[in-house]
Every structure is written in structure tokens, then in C-alpha cells.
């Protein structure tokens, strides 16, 4: 269907947009993922028509047939990206084409139709254009949630022939509620997130559904997030429920688990690898085990650990809990390198620092 011209967006007016006063009240303390803007974007796909029926419309319920195949076999993928207010008074996305490409990779893994990269970016831009006033001032941002699911009405188990792509926007503040400078994590030794050949590298809803029991255990143990180990040896650190992870050693090297098909190729992870290397830090993508984590924390060989992702940005990990005992990284507070890398990333994202990489995409 790539030969079909990209659809033009039809704009449906909002009958009762949120008042400026109400919006200001909502933007004062949005938290994460609970406040939504007035509009959404939808684009339909069918095998016969390709991508069509692109709309910018008031955000609202999506009527669905109860036999829509996503409700039975979970053919669903999503992305997470942010729009920021920039120092020059404008607004910008961060590396949106990377989200578009990862969305295509997720679609391929889930046997779904691939949305062209330019249409993905345009859909996000269209939504920002109508809901621009919802981008928070200060340290907040507008979280964009593009997603796509199978709408074919059919109970046979096969890739659907019809999909709906949707973009929502949600003004957000900090992802973690904790007042501490670093988060605590629970290492799940019972549940794994992904196995080789599985869907770990795809951003599909099913991966998150499968992570929720382990994440609930983390919360029950007083921790902010779960850490998953590999599914074969139950030994190698993979990633958190919704973030990648980095370890800073006392020789100054930064270690992060390699992408081997079982972890999500984070855009923040890739950006931090570039920023760190350009600051002269040696970055090694290599396996790191739970035993090493515990031993290196005890010996002092491990200086800092941080988690990173679009929603959480960069945050230090201070305390680690496991079924066989807890340990602390350094003094349990966020470290200096974590803070420095976060500031470097945020500086570029918000147009306060130069962008030698061409990562900032003004909107
Ligand atoms: N790992 C998982 C499981 C995630 O859900 C996310 C968040 O998107 C990440 C890592 C970080 O990816 P990114 O930096 O692209 O947001
Ligand atoms: C993100 O960082 O965008 C995520 O997807 C993490 C979580 C909210 C699922």
C-alpha cells in the first residue's frame, strides 16, 4: 500500500474545549498519564484501502465491535515521546523519527501494518498543533502516546486486516512520586519479561501486561520499579518494567545490558550512550549479572546506577531489594554522573544547550 498517497487530515471542531482557567488548574500538577488534552488523531488502515480516514478530532470514546481481534489476541503496539517548551519560546519533539522507526519495528514483530515514518511524525505534529496550549511550562512536558490496534471483526487467530492508529496527548510532570533523589527497585527472580525469539524488543501492550504481576510485587516490597533478569540463566540484568538501566563503575566506565532482542531499544538509552561517549566516558554494552551487582555494590566498585526512559528521563537507583537480601548503591542517593548526564540530555531536549546531533525537532 506504499504507493497510495498519504491521507490528508480532516479536522473536526471541538464543541466544548477546556477553558483556559481549567487547563491552567490541570497543568499545575498533572502527575503522569491522568490528564489528557482536548483532541486526538486517528488513522484507519485496511488491506483494501491502505492508510486512510486521517482525522484530528475531539478526544473521546472509540466505538468498537466486541469481536475486534485486539480484544482477544492483543495485537497492539504503542510509543511514548514528549513535546517540550524550548528556551526560544517554541516547542520541540525529541528524535520523533526514532519513535516512528521503532513503531514500524514493533508492527513487523506483531504482524501488523506498518505506518509510514512521515505519517507517524505528521500525526503527532497535527495533534500538537491543535493542543499546543497544553504543553506545560517549567519542568513538565506533553507526553504523546501513539498506539495502534487490530480492529478486524474476526475470532480466527491470524494477523488482522484492519487497524486503527491513534495519538493521545497527556501533559505530565515527574513520573515517580518519590521525594527521594533515587528510586528503589525489586529484582524479580520469579517472573521474566522476555525470552529470545519473543516480543521483548517490541513495544507491545502484551509485554506490559506480562510485567504487572512482577511490578505489583515490587510495590508490595516498597519499591518503585521491578528489574527483570534474563529468561535462560535468571542471572543477567535486562531492564526495568519501563526503563533501561546503566551501571557506572569506579574506573569511570558505564555498562549497560546489550540489545539482544529481549530488551526494548530505548531512545533515551541510545542518546545517553552518545552523550556519555562524547563526554569522554567509556560505555560498554555488555551483560552484567545480579551477583556482580551485589558484589560491586558491597565492594564500592559500583559508583552509580540509573534508569532511563522517555517517561522517567534519568533517575538514580539507590536501593535494590531481592528475595535473598537488600543492598544499597554508594550512599543510596543519586550520583553526580547521573545528574550530569540528565542535565546534558534535558539541556538539548529543551533547547537550553546546543544540539550537535540534530535530535531536536521543532514543532
Ligand atoms: N524499556 C521499557 C520496557 C520501556 O517501556 C521504555 C519506555 O519506553 C524504555 C525501556 C525506554 O525507552 P525510551 O527511552 O525510548 O523511552
Ligand atoms: C515511556 O517511557 O514512554 C514508557 O513507555 C514507560 C511507561 C510509561 C510504559
Amino acid at each position: 500500500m506504499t504507493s497510495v498517497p498519504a491521507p490528508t487530515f480532516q479536522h473536526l471542531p471541538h464543541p466544548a474545549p477546556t477553558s483556559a482557567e481549567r487547563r491552567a488548574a490541570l497543568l499545575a500538577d498533572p502527575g503522569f498519564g491522568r490528564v489528557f488534552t482536548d483532541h486526538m488523531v486517528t488513522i484507519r488502515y485496511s488491506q483494501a484501502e491502505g492508510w486512510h480516514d486521517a482525522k484530528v478530532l475531539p478526544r473521546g470514546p472509540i466505538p468498537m465491535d466486541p469481536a475486534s481481534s485486539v480484544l482477544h489476541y492483543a495485537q497492539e503496539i504503542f510509543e511514548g515521546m514528549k513535546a517540550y517548551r524550548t528556551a526560544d519560546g517554541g516547542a520541540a519533539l525529541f528524535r520523533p523519527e526514532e519513535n516512528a522507526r521503532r513503531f514500524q519495528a514493533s508492527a513487523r514483530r506483531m504482524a501488523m501494518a506498518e505506518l509510514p515514518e512521515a505519517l507517524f511524525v505528521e500525526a503527532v505534529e497535527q495533534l500538537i498543533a491543535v493542543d499546543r496550549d497544553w504543553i506545560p511550562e517549567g519542568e513538565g512536558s506533553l507526553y504523546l502516546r501513539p498506539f495502534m490496534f487490530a480492529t478486524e471483526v474476526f475470532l480466527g487467530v491470524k494477523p488482522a486486516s484492519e487497524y486503527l492508529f491513534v495519538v493521545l496527548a497527556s501533559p505530565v510532570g515527574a513520573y515517580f512520586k518519590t521525594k527521594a533523589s533515587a528510586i528503589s527497585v525489586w529484582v524479580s527472580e520469579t517472573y521474566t519479561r522476555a525470552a529470545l525469539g519473543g516480543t521483548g524488543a517490541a513495544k507491545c501492550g502484551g509485554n506490559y501486561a506480562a510485567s504487572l504481576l512482577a511490578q505489583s510485587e515490587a510495590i508490595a516490597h516498597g519499591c518503585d520499579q521491578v528489574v527483570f533478569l534474563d529468561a535462560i540463566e535468571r542471572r543477567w540484568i535486562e531492564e526495568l518494567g519501563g526503563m533501561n538501566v546503566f551501571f557506572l563503575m569506579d574506573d569511570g566506565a558505564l555498562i549497560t545490558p546489550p540489545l539482544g532482542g529481549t530488551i526494548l531499544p530505548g531512545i533515551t538509552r541510545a542518546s545517553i550512550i552518545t552523550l556519555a561517549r562524547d563526554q569522554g566516558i567509556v560505555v560498554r554494552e555488555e551483560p552484567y549479572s545480579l551477583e556482580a551487582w551485589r558484589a560491586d555494590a558491597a565492594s564500592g566498585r559500583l559508583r552509580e546506577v540509573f534508569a532511563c526512559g522517555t517517561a522517567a528521563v534519568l533517575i538514580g537507583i539507590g536501593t535494590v531489594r531481592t528475595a535473598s537480601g537488600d543492598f544499597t548503591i554508594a550512599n543510596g542517593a543519586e550520583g553526580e554522573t547521573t545528574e550530569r548526564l540528565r542535565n546534558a540530555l534535558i539541556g538539548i531536549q529543551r533547547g537550553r544547550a546546543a544540539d550537535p546531533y540534530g535530535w531536536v525537532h521543532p514543532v
Side-chain angles (χ1 to χ4, degrees):
M1 281 301 151
T2 43
S3 58
V4 173
T8 44
F9 285 78
Q10 187 194 352
H11 285 250
L12 306 189
H14 200 301
T18 308
S19 70
E21 258 183 351
R22 171 89 186 120
R23 189 174 56 237
L26 289 168
L27 291 182
D29 184 20
F32 183 86
R34 292 195 184 279
V35 176
F36 295 92
T37 63
D38 283 330
H39 297 86
M40 63 184 186
V41 165
T42 60
I43 311 178
R44 289 201 175 272
Y45 174 89
S46 71
Q47 242 156 30
E49 291 179 87
W51 296 100
H52 65 285
D53 198 14
K55 286 187 189 131
V56 179
L57 71 169
R59 196 184 79 86
I62 297 172
M64 264 171 75
D65 191 290
S68 297
S69 51
V70 66
L71 299 177
H72 303 272
Y73 310 125
Q75 247 192 321
E76 190 270 354
I77 57 173
F78 68 96
E79 269 305 322
M81 55 210 290
K82 283 174 171 172
Y84 306 87
R85 288 206 184 271
T86 47
D88 61 1
L93 288 162
F94 184 69
R95 310 187 77 178
E97 62 296 331
E98 294 296 326
N99 295 92
R101 281 187 211 128
R102 188 169 64 188
F103 198 65
Q104 291 185 324
S106 298
R108 281 194 295 276
R109 179 60 186 85
M110 302 303 285
M112 298 168 84
E114 281 180 53
L115 184 71
E117 185 182 319
L119 191 52
F120 176 102
V121 175
E122 190 189 349
V124 171
E125 287 173 344
Q126 290 271 352
L127 185 56
I128 296 170
V130 289
D131 284 338
R132 201 179 177 84
D133 291 344
W134 289 88
I135 307 176
E137 305 279 351
E139 294 310 301
S141 53
L142 187 64
Y143 185 79
L144 282 313
R145 172 52 64 86
F147 63 107
M148 177 166 71
F149 55 91
T151 50
E152 185 178 353
V153 177
F154 182 54
L155 295 184
V157 182
K158 66 148 188 98
S161 60
E162 291 170 17
Y163 296 95
L164 184 67
F165 170 74
V166 187
V167 190
L168 300 178
S170 170
V172 299
Y175 185 70
F176 289 107
K177 289 197 201 88
T178 177
K179 295 264 181 293
S181 69
I183 59 167
S184 55
V185 295
W186 164 254
V187 182
S188 177
E189 290 168 270
T190 312
Y191 304 108
T192 57
R193 177 181 177 278
L196 273 178
T199 60
K203 208 159 163 63
C204 61
N207 286 344
Y208 298 79
S211 77
L212 296 177
L213 188 55
Q215 175 64 21
S216 304
E217 277 192 359
I219 302 289
H221 285 90
C223 295
D224 298 296
Q225 267 276 315
V226 61
V227 174
F228 287 106
L229 301 176
D230 77 285
I232 297 174
E233 294 184 65
R234 307 285 184 106
R235 180 172 172 217
W236 306 102
I237 312 291
E238 297 242 300
E239 63 177 325
L240 277 55
M243 278 145 248
N244 294 117
V245 61
F246 282 81
F247 303 87
L248 180 73
M249 312 312 292
D250 65 352
D251 62 359
L254 203 48
I255 296 176
T256 193
L259 303 176
T262 57
I263 71 176
L264 194 79
I267 296 161
T268 317
R269 174 187 180 280
S271 307
I272 289 299
I273 291 175
T274 300
L275 286 175
R277 286 188 176 143
D278 286 357
Q279 290 187 8
I281 298 174
V282 170
V283 184
R284 297 201 305 264
E285 295 179 72
E286 67 184 29
Y288 189 68
S289 68
L290 177 59
E291 309 97 89
W293 194 359
R294 197 190 299 273
D296 292 342
S299 71
R301 191 172 164 240
L302 184 60
R303 287 277 161 83
E304 299 181 29
V305 183
F306 63 83
C308 68
T310 298
V313 196
L314 246 76
I315 185 150
I317 295 177
T319 313
V320 185
R321 304 215 127 131
T322 75
S324 49
D326 304 349
F327 55 96
T328 304
I329 319 301
N331 63 0
E334 183 172 275
E336 266 171 36
T337 303
T338 302
E339 201 185 338
R340 185 155 46 85
L341 287 170
R342 181 178 50 241
N343 288 339
L345 180 68
I346 291 178
I348 295 176
Q349 288 171 332
R350 295 177 183 272
R352 296 172 195 154
D355 171 26
Y357 313 102
W359 287 344
V360 173
H361 179 104
V363 283

